[in-house]
Amino acid sequence: MSRRIGVYICHCGTNIAGMVDVRAVAEYAAGLPGVALARDYKYMCSDPGQELIKQDIKEHQLDRVVVAACSPLLHEHTFRNATAQGGLNAYFAQMVNIREHNAWVHVEKKSATEKAKDLIRAAVYRVALHKPLEKKEVPINPDVLIVGGGIAGIHAALTLGNAGKKVYLVEREPTIGGHMAKFDKTFPTLDCAACILTPKMTAVKTHRNITMWTYSEVEKVDGFVGNYKVTVRRKPRYVIEDLCVGCSECIEACVYKEAKFPDEFNLELSKRKPVYLPFPQATPLVAVIDPENCIELKRGKCKKTCVEACGDRKAIDFKQEAEVKEINVGTIVLATGFKVFDAKRIPYYHYGKHPGVYTALEIERLVNASGPTGGDLVLRNGQKPKSVAIVHCVGSRDENTNKYCSRVCCMYSLKLAHLIKERTEADVYSFYIDMRTPGKGFEEFYNKVSSEGINLIRGKVADIYPETPGGTNGRLVVQAEDTLLNIMRKVPVDMVVLAVGLEAHPDANDVRRMFNISCSTEGWFLERHPKLAPVNTFTDGIFLAGCCQGPKDIPDTVAQAGAAAAEALALIDAGSIELEPNTAFVVEEECSGCKTCIPLCPYTAISRNEEKKIAVINEALCKGCGTCVAACPSGAIKQNLFEDEEIFEEIKGVLIHA
Amino acid sequence: MKRYAYFPGCSLEKMAQSYHHSAIATMRVLGVELEEIEDWNCCGATAYFHVDELLAYTLCARNLAMAEKQNLDVVAPCSGCYKNLYFTRAHLQHEPDLADHINFALEEDKLHYSGTSAVRHLIEVFVQDVGLDAVKSKVTHPLKDLRVAPYYGCQILRPRKDHEDVEQAQYFEDLMTAIGAAPVDFPLKLRCCSGSLVLTNRKAALSLVRNLLESAGAAGAQVIATACPLCQVNLECYQNQVNQEFGTDLHMPVMYFTQLVGLAFGLQPKPLGIGTELVSTKPIVCHARQDSA
Amino acid sequence: MTDKPTFRAEIGNLLYAAGGNPLDACMQCGTCSGACPVSGFMDNTPRRIIAMINAGLKERVLASNTYWYCASCYQCTVRCPRGIDITGLMYGLKRYSIWNRQPKEGMIGPVFSETFVKMITRTGRSYEPVLAKSYIFTYGLPEMLQEARMGTTLMLKGRLPMLPARIKRLDNFRRMLRRIIPLGEL
């Protein structure tokens, strides 16, 4: 068939023209089969450059376009648009990279020019066979699922709810609030965490657009951007949420007169009964019954004084079962947060062995007025510590544990130093390697805390051991080299606070598989681009917010949650999303139903039609990676824009001298 | 019948011959034959590595090559020898050029090194190769909860060989429990005994030895068990000098773990070398045998 | 025409064979000094030595007694958060100072090590009484007497070797060593 191909060679200033003889290449291209005209121009991506294409299509009746310029990642979109505006199908344009692939990696003009000619010839052969294609439009369900009810999830939920969208907020614990609900004061303002968090928690609960499901987990996710079908399992609390008013009478009346079981919210520093409220401002304020330890649920034989105390409200229901809910949403925001480093992994810090060693999170609970000691910072023997050591970088910046810096520990250590000094008048020693206080107001906070008389020692703690062999008097000696003074410091203290780093949840890998996204090597969820797309993932419609993407403090978490909400809103308000048509498709007559392709798809886009016994590809999920195309033993799968003939022509064009 | 190429090391010839005798005797009870590498040479200790690395590797490679001739894995009772032999083998595995160069030298003794003999520490053989169950089964005179401070020292665990945990080893304690002793919580069990510093930097070494002895005492130990002749000599033979230097009054018996195992196996004290110590081990033997002495 | 490598590069080369991360990775956290059981006796702690090497202070490093106090216990190496083989560095510095004929004055370590190596070369085995001469004369009188007393007791208990041991194939052994480096005065 005779074609009328227009070939455009961009100078890109001197980027290309400095190494490739663009005039010669244009002359060469003009002589290729099917080429109606060939031009070279300084900046093809500019308005006049694009105008050239549009004009030529009309004036010279071009039916295909080849643009030889920079990387398609930058301007494929531009030239396809220009071609479409000129009146042709956008996919009749083919872009050739003669900058990154050619000019920028050559040191000598002659071979660079020859290579440019080869690449353009290949494109000319190929583009002649291009078929017209159209982008697919997929509608976006306006409802949103947010996984995780910490500050990130809460903020995203409120933003989206206020925008008028229906939000499902699913939280694994019996209450929302996340880690922030455990803190006492937050840096750098020393705002009381609960005071600033609880209004937002209440707002979530009462918001007419937000459905809050606590004590629930996402079980299964099917579908694709704009059309996700999610299965959520609501675990039984054995208390009817709508009927319970959180009066705590059942807890008072429980047959266990003394609290006996480790209280997870207080990091096991105190005990609770089998029926409990996680903390006084829990949202929803509904009791939970722990089936592992409740006598009625374990053995079926209990006086059930709790039911009696509940009286007419009849909120307790021992027969309650897990509820499975199926919802349809268009976008998902993951805000699943972090876990702290397990300090037992550093045995010479004696965490878990010596009673005087605590993690920073445990201290947060101790200084918290609603914590296990009512806000008194005391040791396990009830006495106030007279000297406290704060050890920085526990499980961070360390090849033996986690290589990264956890970003928040220097600031929270300074905060704890301030709080400990305030509450106990103890001597506080902070052992650090570097003091990392980069945020707004952070340096000022550092300044303020350093002038409160704490001892800042620059040296990583190398060893901790009992002061007297046998450890009889309970004090521990913290040993580090003071690298600024050049002396060895051996400081005896009553209490050691380990500034533990942040880590991804241990089940992060399972969660990411469920949502079809990736994790980085350190286990955090992977963003699409660390600078330019920190809340997007490589899966359209799924966004990240907060520490699940990497360690960060509350200001940055809230900012990211807002960003994720905005990204979701952008999709929802657009109403529909356009999908690139370079997807694979199954030629039904040729498919033998062998199922080879189905498990290979990294995007789980292929399923089996049981009636016809053939494979079916979901165009919306398909990303055009080509794996199934290559793997199909019958050759029954083809890919738009990458059909066999197109590829072979391109290869022929490149290898013509061979 | 398990067999190993046995590398005693220079110390076990005379200074730590009780370790040598008790090792062979206890291994025999467990059905393991230790066949001494004929014509073994010194492993180089730490001093050889202070002068020339390549020569030091060659010294170790010669021993490994001779074990290969016996077609057996090597077992070394001394932590220093163990570390040198183990890491020579690991290093030569990573650097075939170096191995070639050393093989060129080994030709002079008609030897060839190919790295087929693994290197084990004697205590590893007890705990892993033979197994604690087998050890327990041969115990006829359990040590009646003798309070033992298990002293690992340094070079048996460090440097790291793979990604193992070098801070929380428990196998020495497990071995002591298996023979009926009661291991105490000895916080300095991984701290260095100062090795050859006792000759080259005497004051520093005596300070380290003192800390170790005091810590073991405070932990309630009746005896310190070691797995290395340097540790035993430093902790035991220099106790007098520690007392003179610091005015302390330490009398802590220090024995090889094989001697304790031997007592638990019902072997006689003398063939285990008991009685050659500078700090008397009579109270330990008495406790173990519950004699009325 | 090659430039003479800087001191920093020379030490880096020494460590290359030891594996682990190079000294550039050091963040001067002080864990090595803190974990070292003998750092209190050194004039410069291990961390400081690394800083001095990175700053190219060759004379100061060679004048330091740090590495001669190293007991090779590897506690620093296993705890270093940057994965640097510090013990390997200490071994390297010992060798460097001996090769450069600049071992620190008044330290027993260099003489002891050289005596040890000579002894092995001569007999293939170690023999304590020969080693004694490398350190005993630097002791004060009370210490010498203590050592002598200990030595006598050990001899009476049969724990001190009377005669030096020798390996059988000593000639082969010597030729083997010569194939690595010429033995020179050794």
Side-chain angles (χ1 to χ4, degrees):
Chain A
M1 84 217 105
S2 58
R3 283 265 169 258
R4 294 187 60 74
I5 305 174
V7 181
Y8 300 86
I9 295 132
C10 186
H11 293 213
C12 195
T14 52
N15 278 311
I16 296 175
M19 187 53 66
V20 173
D21 184 349
V22 285
R23 281 279 137 72
V25 174
E27 271 173 40
Y28 172 77
L32 288 171
V35 173
L37 59 80
R39 296 190 199 282
D40 63 276
Y41 187 69
K42 263 222 151 134
Y43 297 104
M44 280 307 297
C45 57
S46 63
D47 276 347
Q50 296 177 53
E51 270 308 304
L52 258 183
I53 299 177
K54 293 184 218 171
Q55 288 274 25
D56 284 347
I57 291 173
K58 293 199 182 79
E59 284 176 18
H60 297 270
Q61 294 89 46
L62 298 180
D63 61 13
R64 296 285 186 280
V65 169
V66 170
V67 181
C70 53
S71 164
L73 261 177
L74 299 168
H75 281 304
E76 184 169 64
H77 188 71
T78 314
F79 298 123
R80 279 189 181 155
N81 263 352
T83 307
Q85 282 171 29
L88 292 178
N89 182 288
Y91 296 89
F92 283 166
Q94 174 71 354
M95 201 172 157
V96 186
N97 185 339
I98 56 168
R99 191 180 73 172
E100 283 88 335
H101 284 187
N102 188 7
W104 275 358
V105 296
H106 271 257
V107 294
E108 175 266 304
K109 251 191 143 159
K110 190 161 175 294
S111 41
T113 309
E114 286 308 303
K115 181 170 175 181
K117 290 184 191 164
D118 289 341
L119 291 173
I120 289 167
R121 183 180 53 243
V124 165
Y125 283 22
R126 184 198 219 278
V127 82
L129 297 177
H130 276 201
K131 302 197 177 96
L133 294 169
E134 295 299 332
K135 287 198 187 180
K136 292 264 169 328
E137 218 180 270
V138 160
I140 304 275
N141 182 321
D143 297 351
V144 186
L145 165 67
I146 300 182
V147 184
I151 180 63
I154 289 171
H155 185 82
L158 288 171
T159 310
L160 287 161
N162 289 339
K165 310 303 172 204
K166 182 168 163 61
V167 176
Y168 295 95
L169 179 60
V170 175
E171 162 59 50
R172 176 188 285 187
E173 296 298 316
T175 168
I176 57 172
H179 276 100
M180 189 172 167
K182 300 192 183 172
F183 301 161
D184 181 38
K185 303 272 196 294
T186 55
F187 60 78
T189 48
L190 292 177
D191 278 307
C192 156
C195 306
I196 55 177
L197 180 61
T198 45
K200 285 176 101 100
M201 284 162 66
T202 314
V204 166
K205 178 156 199 306
T206 55
H207 206 291
R208 61 167 181 214
N209 289 334
I210 302 179
T211 304
M212 184 181 73
W213 285 340
T214 53
Y215 216 37
S216 309
E217 281 189 63
V218 172
E219 230 174 37
K220 196 160 175 296
V221 179
D222 276 324
F224 50 95
V225 57
N227 302 274
Y228 287 111
K229 199 197 332 265
V230 183
T231 311
V232 177
R233 172 175 292 267
R234 304 210 58 202
K235 298 185 282 195
R237 318 163 90 103
Y238 306 102
V239 175
I240 303 170
E241 207 171 309
D242 295 330
L243 297 177
C244 173
V245 298
C247 67
S248 312
E249 302 265 321
C250 53
I251 301 174
E252 295 278 324
C254 177
V255 293
Y256 276 97
K257 288 284 154 240
E258 293 281 321
K260 226 183 110 173
F261 306 101
D263 182 347
E264 299 90 349
F265 191 82
N266 278 332
L267 301 167
E268 311 198 354
L269 290 170
S270 62
K271 304 243 194 296
R272 58 163 176 77
K273 300 188 184 178
V275 55
Y276 64 101
L277 277 168
F279 65 103
Q281 303 100 328
T283 305
L285 194 62
V286 173
V288 192
I289 302 182
D290 161 17
E292 301 282 307
N293 294 305
C294 167
I295 299 180
E296 174 63 20
L297 289 170
K298 267 201 344 196
R299 284 179 256 154
K301 288 191 186 146
C302 181
K303 279 196 293 186
K304 294 190 268 216
T305 41
C306 49
V307 176
E308 220 184 284
C310 189
D312 290 332
R313 270 175 242 121
K314 297 198 175 57
I316 299 186
D317 174 12
F318 289 108
K319 299 263 181 305
Q320 196 181 65
E321 288 189 352
E323 243 188 293
V324 174
K325 302 266 207 201
E326 280 202 6
I327 52 174
N328 292 313
V329 294
T331 47
I332 301 176
V333 175
L334 295 177
T336 48
F338 64 91
K339 78 175 249 296
V340 291
F341 173 77
D342 178 9
K344 288 206 191 85
R345 286 170 60 187
I346 305 185
Y348 51 95
Y349 285 166
H350 301 296
Y351 177 68
K353 281 187 279 175
H354 193 285
V357 181
Y358 295 80
T359 61
L361 200 53
E362 288 172 339
I363 300 297
E364 292 277 353
R365 292 314 299 153
L366 287 180
V367 297
N368 196 310
S370 60
T373 57
D376 284 333
L377 186 57
V378 290
L379 296 161
R380 285 175 227 259
N381 61 10
Q383 297 199 315
K384 269 205 163 75
K386 295 206 197 64
S387 52
V388 180
I390 303 181
V391 180
H392 286 226
C393 300
V394 176
S396 307
R397 298 189 74 190
D398 189 348
E399 291 252 345
N400 301 319
T401 52
N402 293 314
K403 293 190 195 179
Y404 53 83
C405 165
S406 292
R407 194 148 157 192
V408 298
C409 330
C410 278
M411 281 304 290
Y412 81 52
S413 298
L414 286 172
K415 171 195 76 176
L416 287 179
H418 163 84
L419 289 174
I420 293 171
K421 194 89 185 150
E422 196 179 65
R423 305 281 175 95
T424 64
E425 292 297 312
D427 289 324
V428 177
Y429 301 88
S430 252
F431 293 85
Y432 66 98
I433 307 176
D434 293 297
M435 202 54 96
R436 296 191 160 174
T437 58
K440 185 167 178 176
F442 287 15
E443 181 65 23
E444 293 84 335
F445 187 71
Y446 178 22
N447 222 338
K448 165 191 152 74
V449 177
S450 1
S451 49
E452 284 170 4
I454 58 172
N455 301 289
L456 292 165
I457 300 173
R458 191 199 176 275
K460 182 167 167 146
V461 171
D463 208 3
I464 299 182
Y465 49 87
E467 190 179 25
T468 51
T472 44
N473 82 339
R475 290 214 299 184
L476 289 165
V477 175
V478 175
Q479 182 167 304
E481 185 191 16
D482 185 330
T483 63
L484 297 175
L485 278 180
N486 234 336
I487 58 173
M488 197 62 65
R489 299 269 224 157
K490 300 185 191 183
V491 183
V493 293
D494 301 316
M495 178 188 255
V496 173
V497 180
L498 301 175
V500 283
L502 275 50
E503 280 185 335
H505 278 295
D507 66 352
N509 219 4
D510 298 325
V511 171
R512 72 130 192 117
R513 237 179 247 124
M514 188 161 44
F515 290 94
N516 215 356
I517 60 172
S518 314
C519 278
S520 70
T521 37
E522 285 111 10
W524 308 105
F525 292 149
L526 193 60
E527 66 285 314
R528 186 175 280 217
H529 191 283
K531 287 209 261 279
L532 299 179
V535 298
N536 304 69
T537 59
F538 286 102
T539 304
D540 293 326
I542 302 193
F543 307 101
L544 306 172
C547 286
C548 63
Q549 182 259 346
K552 56 180 69 70
D553 51 32
I554 294 168
D556 286 347
T557 297
V558 172
Q560 241 194 15
E567 293 283 335
L569 278 171
L571 265 184
I572 298 169
D573 282 355
S576 63
I577 192 176
E578 273 185 338
L579 301 173
E580 285 290 319
N582 61 329
T583 50
F585 58 93
V586 177
V587 177
E588 288 193 16
E589 311 80 68
E590 297 183 23
C591 173
S592 65
C594 70
K595 300 198 245 179
T596 303
C597 55
I598 297 174
L600 290 175
C601 178
Y603 304 96
T604 50
I606 313 182
S607 55
R608 185 175 165 81
N609 179 325
E610 280 303 336
E611 279 175 46
K612 298 194 195 166
K613 297 216 193 306
I614 55 168
V616 174
I617 297 178
N618 180 331
E619 277 176 333
L621 279 174
C622 174
K623 292 251 181 251
C625 72
T627 305
C628 57
V629 180
C632 175
S634 331
I637 305 187
K638 299 197 195 304
Q639 184 164 345
N640 288 323
L641 213 56
F642 286 90
E643 307 210 23
D644 286 353
E645 306 77 47
E646 289 166 346
I647 298 180
F648 285 137
E649 279 300 299
E650 196 169 3
I651 296 175
K652 239 207 286 182
V654 166
L655 294 179
I656 201 159
H657 298 302
Chain B
M1 167 74 88
K2 277 206 183 80
R3 291 155 59 225
Y4 289 90
Y6 178 54
F7 181 85
C10 303
S11 317
L12 265 74
E13 291 275 273
K14 268 286 180 177
M15 185 65 97
Q17 55 186 315
S18 44
Y19 194 12
H20 172 75
H21 293 309
S22 54
I24 296 190
T26 46
M27 287 267 88
R28 195 164 282 144
V29 170
L30 291 168
V32 177
E33 271 304 313
L34 298 177
E35 297 176 14
E36 193 166 322
I37 298 177
E38 61 92 35
D39 213 34
W40 56 269
N41 57 270
C42 178
C43 74
T46 50
Y48 226 100
F49 283 89
H50 296 173
V51 176
D52 192 292
E53 214 178 0
L54 190 50
L55 274 181
Y57 283 140
T58 313
L59 250 53
C60 292
R62 180 171 179 271
N63 295 310
L64 293 172
M66 288 192 285
E68 277 174 36
K69 251 195 176 156
Q70 287 170 270
N71 229 326
L72 296 171
D73 285 341
V74 180
V75 67
C78 165
S79 300
C81 304
Y82 166 69
K83 177 211 144 219
N84 284 345
L85 292 170
Y86 185 97
F87 284 98
T88 299
R89 177 168 180 256
H91 204 86
L92 293 181
Q93 254 170 353
H94 275 126
E95 308 262 350
D97 293 335
L98 193 57
D100 283 341
H101 194 167
I102 289 179
N103 272 324
F104 171 64
L106 288 177
E107 278 171 15
E108 287 288 0
D109 202 20
K110 299 188 194 41
L111 290 168
H112 183 83
Y113 165 82
S114 37
T116 49
S117 290
V119 179
R120 317 284 287 140
H121 191 288
L122 183 64
I123 196 171
E124 281 184 318
V125 174
F126 274 87
V127 172
Q128 288 170 17
D129 300 6
V130 170
L132 291 174
D133 289 332
V135 169
K136 241 200 213 133
S137 68
K138 298 286 183 192
V139 171
T140 53
H141 292 67
L143 295 181
K144 300 193 181 62
D145 291 327
L146 174 71
R147 289 191 307 281
V148 181
Y151 180 53
Y152 293 79
C154 52
Q155 306 205 330
I156 194 173
L157 290 168
R158 304 187 292 270
R160 250 191 215 101
K161 299 168 189 53
D162 199 354
H163 294 284
E164 78 275 18
D165 190 341
V166 296
E167 307 271 5
Q168 296 198 88
Q170 279 293 127
Y171 58 79
F172 206 149
E173 282 90 334
D174 295 340
L175 179 60
M176 292 295 105
T177 313
I179 59 172
V184 301
D185 186 16
F186 180 24
L188 298 188
K189 71 185 187 190
L190 304 175
R191 180 124 359 138
C192 185
C193 70
S194 77
S196 61
L197 288 190
V198 76
L199 303 172
T200 59
N201 305 72
R202 196 168 166 280
K203 275 217 159 45
L206 291 180
S207 169
L208 257 54
V209 171
R210 176 209 180 165
N211 289 341
L212 286 165
L213 293 170
E214 283 187 335
S215 175
Q222 291 169 275
V223 63
I224 299 179
T226 69
C228 171
L230 281 102
C231 296
Q232 200 275 345
V233 168
N234 281 8
L235 288 180
E236 189 225 359
C237 303
Y238 284 85
Q239 262 182 61
N240 223 335
Q241 305 204 28
V242 166
N243 286 337
Q244 296 223 359
E245 178 81 20
F246 298 107
T248 47
D249 189 28
L250 299 158
H251 294 283
M252 174 66 76
V254 183
M255 295 172 72
Y256 294 104
F257 75 93
T258 41
Q259 292 178 304
L260 293 173
V261 173
L263 285 176
F265 282 179
L267 301 176
Q268 284 305 308
K270 208 146 178 263
L272 294 173
I274 293 176
T276 61
E277 302 88 4
L278 298 188
V279 178
S280 174
T281 51
K282 264 218 190 83
I284 310 306
V285 181
C286 281
H287 181 120
R289 288 291 140 88
Q290 216 81 96
D291 294 346
S292 53
Chain C
M1 249 312 243
T2 48
D3 290 320
K4 190 168 187 307
T6 59
F7 177 58
R8 182 173 173 172
E10 279 186 304
I11 304 299
N13 287 338
L14 277 179
L15 278 189
Y16 169 71
N21 283 349
L23 292 181
D24 295 337
C26 175
M27 58 172 166
Q28 291 288 298
C29 69
T31 300
C32 50
S33 312
C36 176
V38 278
S39 68
F41 296 93
M42 298 171 176
D43 52 19
N44 287 303
T45 57
R47 171 201 59 88
R48 201 144 193 251
I49 286 282
I50 295 176
M52 281 155 59
I53 293 170
N54 282 339
L57 302 176
K58 179 172 174 178
E59 272 64 45
R60 301 247 289 246
V61 171
L62 289 176
S64 178
N65 67 17
T66 305
Y67 34 97
W68 291 111
Y69 267 96
C70 175
S72 174
C73 79
Y74 288 90
Q75 192 71 289
C76 51
T77 302
V78 302
R79 289 199 185 165
C80 173
R82 283 287 162 95
I84 301 173
D85 184 1
I86 299 151
T87 312
L89 169 67
M90 295 301 150
Y91 274 113
L93 288 172
K94 283 176 185 155
R95 293 194 293 270
Y96 189 89
S97 74
I98 290 182
W99 293 338
N100 281 278
R101 298 268 186 270
Q102 287 177 278
K104 187 165 165 63
E105 289 295 316
M107 302 259 25
I108 301 171
V111 180
F112 177 82
S113 305
E114 286 189 304
T115 312
F116 190 94
V117 169
K118 282 187 192 147
M119 177 178 66
I120 304 292
T121 315
R122 252 184 248 129
T123 63
R125 297 273 184 90
S126 113
Y127 176 58
E128 279 88 347
V130 163
L131 288 175
K133 72 168 198 259
S134 70
Y135 59 84
I136 200 83
F137 300 113
T138 64
Y139 285 4
L141 191 57
E143 288 83 31
M144 252 207 267
L145 288 175
Q146 283 173 13
E147 283 284 325
R149 185 167 156 229
M150 182 184 80
T152 319
T153 324
L154 286 172
M155 191 163 57
L156 291 173
K157 298 255 178 188
R159 286 170 71 176
L160 215 51
M162 301 304 304
L163 293 169
R166 264 173 179 247
I167 58 174
K168 289 181 257 179
R169 306 196 297 272
L170 191 52
D171 286 330
N172 292 357
F173 181 77
R174 290 246 186 96
R175 279 202 296 275
M176 174 186 89
L177 293 182
R178 253 185 238 119
R179 273 202 174 182
I180 298 289
I181 60 171
L183 290 174
E185 315 102 59
L186 290 181

